[in-house]
Amino acid sequence: MKLSQRDKYDVDPAAVFAMFCDEKFLLGKYEALGYPKYEVLEIEASDSGARIKTRRHAPANVPGFAKKLFGDTTEMVQTDVWGPEKDGVRDGTWTIDVPGKPVKARGTIRLEPSADGSLVSIEGELKASVPLIGGKIESWAGGEAKEALVKEYEFGVGWLADR
């Protein structure tokens, strides 16, 4: 399933990038989203880019056909890798691994200036390699991912407004 999101922020790209690399932001975001367990595994940020790795356990609000496969919570390990800023634009990649589950998501992310602040563009694909029900799992997980992206954006807007 394809994922696509465009988020507009009222601040410059440097402020958005700093937020994405802030451990307090990451932990606050996961708390606000209601994850029962989460941690920042790695943050390495410099002028040449960044690598951010987190782990979270999300409530598995799965449909009945997938309950056996996912259980009550789903562990996700996300790795975001950002390149250097070039002419105000920063590109990166993201991956989400779900240990022990046949689901993976990966894609690209772009942070660039806009007329009134910044634009973050997220593109990706979620794949479930499960015979017969893979498409149903992708559809369910894709819906959950889209909802989480919206909530993460809303948290980010609030975070920046409080700064």
Side-chain angles (χ1 to χ4, degrees):
M1 171 174 221
K2 298 282 186 195
L3 299 171
S4 183
Q5 173 105 356
R6 302 283 178 277
D7 297 330
K8 293 182 180 184
Y9 293 93
D10 295 336
V11 298
D12 65 34
V16 176
F17 182 68
M19 174 182 72
F20 288 158
C21 297
D22 188 313
E23 184 172 7
K24 289 180 183 177
F25 165 76
L26 295 165
L27 295 173
K29 173 179 72 172
Y30 291 150
E31 181 176 337
L33 268 66
Y35 296 136
K37 186 177 176 185
Y38 47 87
E39 64 183 315
V40 174
L41 301 173
E42 174 184 350
I43 296 178
E44 292 178 19
S46 69
D47 290 340
S48 63
R51 179 179 165 85
I52 303 145
K53 189 172 185 177
T54 60
R55 178 183 340 212
R56 62 191 180 269
H57 292 260
N61 303 316
V62 296
F65 69 86
K67 282 238 185 258
K68 270 187 168 181
L69 191 61
F70 286 91
D72 293 332
T73 61
T74 300
E75 177 185 358
M76 293 181 274
V77 178
Q78 181 168 343
T79 305
D80 299 336
V81 178
W82 289 92
E85 180 268 325
K86 293 179 185 171
D87 300 322
V89 177
R90 195 179 288 268
D91 290 303
T93 60
W94 60 271
T95 59
I96 297 177
D97 293 311
V98 185
K101 308 290 192 268
V103 176
K104 285 190 182 267
R106 65 188 72 247
T108 60
I109 189 165
R110 172 169 232 171
L111 171 59
E112 60 191 315
S114 68
D116 54 353
S118 302
L119 176 66
V120 175
S121 303
I122 301 166
E123 300 291 336
E125 188 167 14
L126 185 140
K127 287 283 198 189
S129 54
V130 181
L132 302 178
I133 62 169
K136 287 183 180 182
I137 291 173
E138 286 176 13
S139 180
W140 161 76
E144 292 282 313
K146 287 178 182 180
E147 186 178 310
L149 284 171
V150 169
K151 289 178 181 177
E152 288 180 11
Y153 167 69
E154 291 169 350
F155 181 82
V157 168
W159 174 272
L160 290 167
D162 290 343
R163 301 287 164 281

